[in-house]
Amino acid sequence: MILVTGASGHFGSTAIHTLLENGIPASQIKALVRTPAAAEPWHPLGIEVALGDYDDYASLIKAFTGVSKVLFVSSSDLSHRLSQHRNVVLAAKEVGVAHLIYTSFQRTTESSASPLWGVAESHLQTERWIEESGIPYTFLRNNLYLDFLPAFIGAEVLQTGVIFVPAGTGRISAVLRSEMAEAAAKIVLTPGHEGKVYSFSHTESVSYETIAQHLAALSGKSVVYVSPEVDVYAKTLAEFGVPAESIGIFSSFALAQASWELDAPSTDLATILGRPLTPILEYITNIYFPTQA
């Protein structure tokens, strides 16, 4: 039995559909969701649904019972992620899960000096807890989702003619979330991944300067990249009504890009998928020029 957590989210649901497409019977898949409403899409497919919450240890024990492999999709609740992840690891150990596949985080700095320490710290601790638990594991260290890149570039970039991000000259190796989820499912499907750590980064890296040049060439308009001071960036986002918590996250990721923290090309993901990854600039073209894709 395979259990996928976060089954109502993009990553978890893509992983489950990949398992089905690769011949895993629905009767061998269990989806963990928090609410009955989130369970509804899985019932017609014959997939068992477990109602559970990372904050509810008893619900995790019940959900994990009888499960051999768990695809553990990390929590998006930054304020409570440490305690939630602790619950998951302890519950998996208590019921005897045979293999824990954890979606961790790509980083080059493992200290508070990292601009992304607020994000990375809980992942580092979770990895340590999993290692100490004795559960056979696989760590998937995910880079920035390529799906989030348009939020940094701006929806109106072709109208404003400016990419406004304090990322300096840094490059990023962002990858589509769907490709990461598909690869995670393939790891669940195949043997030999225990004790392995995979870097789910792109095989290429791209700068915002390159993206600006690409958009300009496709549009025939002027598109420039401006890297402001981070306080100016934060103030500008606030003026547009962006919530303070979101400003903090965007700023941290921008500074991480400026520090080259997310410039970490790797062949791991492409190798597991058995095909080239969607090129970063191709994805940008699809978003901003869908008729030219």
Side-chain angles (χ1 to χ4, degrees):
M1 179 66 75
I2 299 164
L3 181 139
V4 178
T5 74
S8 60
H10 188 287
F11 197 106
S13 61
T14 299
I16 289 176
H17 283 294
T18 300
L19 292 173
L20 293 171
E21 290 162 6
N22 281 271
I24 297 297
S27 60
Q28 293 180 17
I29 303 172
K30 187 185 288 190
L32 180 69
V33 298
R34 287 183 293 180
T35 66
E40 291 179 3
W42 302 118
H43 292 313
L45 299 178
I47 290 174
E48 181 181 349
V49 176
L51 291 179
D53 192 302
Y54 288 169
D55 289 311
D56 183 349
Y57 186 75
S59 72
L60 296 175
I61 291 292
K62 184 177 180 181
F64 292 171
T65 298
V67 169
S68 59
K69 294 185 179 182
V70 172
L71 174 53
F72 173 15
V73 181
S74 58
S75 170
S76 59
D77 184 351
L78 296 183
S79 299
H80 301 94
R81 184 155 64 187
L82 266 176
S83 61
Q84 291 174 341
H85 284 192
R86 182 66 168 162
N87 283 341
V88 173
V89 176
L90 290 175
K93 180 178 181 179
E94 182 171 336
V95 303
V97 168
H99 188 190
L100 195 59
I101 299 95
Y102 172 58
T103 64
S104 191
F105 184 71
Q106 172 64 50
R107 68 270 181 177
T108 56
T109 303
E110 294 192 347
S111 74
S112 57
S114 169
L116 287 173
W117 184 242
V119 174
E121 182 181 15
S122 56
H123 286 294
L124 288 167
Q125 181 60 63
T126 302
E127 288 188 10
R128 284 193 290 268
W129 282 333
I130 293 172
E131 290 171 336
E132 292 166 358
S133 74
I135 302 170
Y137 65 84
T138 305
F139 294 151
L140 314 179
R141 292 181 178 167
N142 296 346
N143 206 304
L144 178 70
Y145 291 157
L146 185 51
D147 316 57
F148 292 169
L149 193 54
F152 290 95
I153 297 170
E156 307 298 324
V157 63
L158 299 180
Q159 286 70 49
T160 64
V162 177
I163 297 176
F164 189 75
V165 187
T169 59
R171 296 194 300 262
I172 51 176
S173 309
V175 182
L176 281 175
R177 177 170 43 186
S178 60
E179 292 181 330
M180 292 181 181
E182 181 184 347
K186 292 194 176 229
I187 287 172
V188 173
L189 284 164
T190 55
H193 299 287
E194 292 86 350
K196 300 289 182 65
V197 177
Y198 295 112
S199 176
F200 274 13
S201 285
H202 214 292
T203 52
E204 64 179 7
S205 297
V206 174
S207 69
Y208 285 104
E209 182 65 40
T210 298
I211 293 171
Q213 293 170 358
H214 180 69
L215 292 175
L218 288 174
S219 66
K221 302 177 181 179
S222 171
V223 179
V224 298
Y225 166 52
V226 175
S227 179
E229 294 296 324
V230 70
D231 57 340
V232 174
Y233 176 70
K235 181 180 179 182
T236 302
L237 293 183
E239 289 172 350
F240 280 92
V242 178
E245 183 178 2
S246 297
I247 291 173
I249 294 172
F250 272 97
S251 298
S252 295
F253 271 93
L255 289 174
Q257 293 171 68
S259 302
W260 301 74
E261 290 279 326
L262 301 178
D263 179 27
S266 170
T267 60
D268 287 356
L269 183 57
T271 298
I272 291 167
L273 290 176
R275 66 171 190 273
L277 304 177
T278 300
I280 296 174
L281 292 183
E282 178 182 310
Y283 174 74
I284 297 301
T285 301
N286 293 341
I287 294 297
Y288 292 97
F289 304 93
T291 61
Q292 298 182 37

